[in-house]
Amino acid sequence: MEHSLVIGATSDIGIWVANSLAKRGHSLTLTGRNKQKLNVLKNNITSKYNTSVSIYILDITEMETFDSFVSKFNDIPNHTFILVGYYEDQTQTRIDVKELEKTIQINFTGVAALVNRISLELEKKKSGTITVVSSVAGERGRKLNYAYGSAKAGLTTFLSGLRALLYPSGVHIGTILLGPVYTKMSFGHNLIPWLTLHPEEAGEKIVKAGLNKKDQVYIRWHWSLIMFVIRMIPEWIFKRLPAF
């Protein structure tokens, strides 16, 4: 039986990633910050699918706990899916250094540190996959979300380099370039329906990409064209565009 680890399992998308894996017969290890939510998710999955589920409390900002977390496994799971993200009022990152630090730490530093730690164990096994959700926001700095976007840009670059480093060892690093999804994080934003996924659909697509060992993939293909156009706009024009 395949064993999968889901980091950020109680997030809106993480719940569906966990369900999608359980549907495929994977045993699961689920992490989150809220034990009550983890227990509810565990009970829901075990009642629907014939699979084993274990839970752990893990906070992506507490990097000093990563060694002890990884040491809990006799054998690190074959597949890891990381669904950690943080997006609050971006105007606060201009005036509150704590908010800027939190945005970067949750979206980049903490995730990179955990991926690095887990990948060391997979490298010893010479097999395994780590699939990480990044964002199309990291492909160019925009007025509305440059702090969040810069963290995701750093994450995407980090994963690209690690993917190349670990390729000879048989370990696969996958990057999911996610666009908008109807979640608590996106609530209140002006979303375009035909470009926005529902969490269940996003979870299924993320699992398929991860298990198929996709290197770097746009979950909705339209974003590859949209971001190509955005990247091609000269900076002297781009800086004059209205916020979007």
Side-chain angles (χ1 to χ4, degrees), residues 30-233:
L30 309 177
T31 81
R33 293 178 299 163
N34 187 307
K35 188 173 183 179
Q36 183 178 0
K37 288 183 178 180
L38 282 170
N39 275 317
V40 169
L41 179 58
K42 176 182 177 179
N43 293 336
N44 286 342
I45 288 175
T46 53
S47 67
K48 289 166 63 179
Y49 309 103
N50 183 28
T51 192
S52 63
V53 180
S54 57
I55 60 174
Y56 289 101
I57 303 299
L58 184 71
D59 189 326
I60 202 70
T61 67
E62 297 176 355
M63 291 181 281
E64 69 279 3
T65 68
F66 293 170
D67 282 339
S68 61
F69 170 69
V70 171
S71 70
K72 296 177 188 295
F73 298 96
N74 293 323
D75 184 24
I76 201 75
N78 302 325
H79 307 287
T80 296
F81 290 83
I82 301 183
L83 296 305
V84 175
Y86 176 76
Y87 188 102
E88 291 293 331
D89 184 356
Q90 292 286 283
T91 61
Q92 290 300 306
T93 62
R94 282 252 324 140
I95 58 179
D96 184 352
V97 69
K98 293 291 186 182
E99 185 64 21
L100 177 60
E101 181 183 36
K102 186 176 181 180
T103 297
I104 294 172
Q105 187 174 30
I106 294 176
N107 291 302
F108 175 39
T109 316
V111 175
L114 184 57
V115 170
N116 209 50
R117 184 64 188 84
I118 293 172
S119 72
L120 288 170
E121 300 303 310
L122 294 179
E123 193 173 18
K124 294 174 188 175
K125 294 188 357 175
K126 298 189 181 302
S127 67
T129 68
I130 305 175
T131 304
V132 186
V133 171
S134 188
S135 173
V136 296
E139 298 206 55
R140 189 158 193 181
R142 294 188 287 121
K143 295 175 183 178
L144 289 180
N145 65 356
Y146 64 88
Y148 173 81
S150 66
K152 290 299 189 179
L155 179 60
T156 297
T157 300
F158 178 89
L159 296 171
S160 177
L162 189 62
R163 177 164 48 249
L165 177 68
L166 294 178
Y167 175 73
S169 71
V171 177
H172 179 74
I173 305 295
T175 306
I176 305 297
L177 295 173
L178 196 63
V181 180
Y182 291 114
T183 64
K184 290 188 290 289
M185 196 168 77
S186 66
F187 181 78
H189 294 276
N190 187 22
L191 303 177
I192 302 171
W194 65 274
L195 282 175
T196 307
L197 294 170
H198 291 277
E200 183 175 2
E201 184 183 5
E204 179 67 18
K205 288 177 178 290
I206 289 166
V207 168
K208 282 183 178 179
L211 297 182
N212 288 327
K213 297 185 177 181
K214 297 293 185 181
D215 290 331
Q216 184 165 295
V217 60
Y218 294 91
I219 285 300
R220 178 150 277 179
W221 66 268
H222 309 78
W223 282 105
S224 62
L225 301 178
I226 293 168
M227 296 315 299
F228 174 78
V229 171
I230 290 175
R231 288 195 305 270
M232 292 300 104
I233 300 172

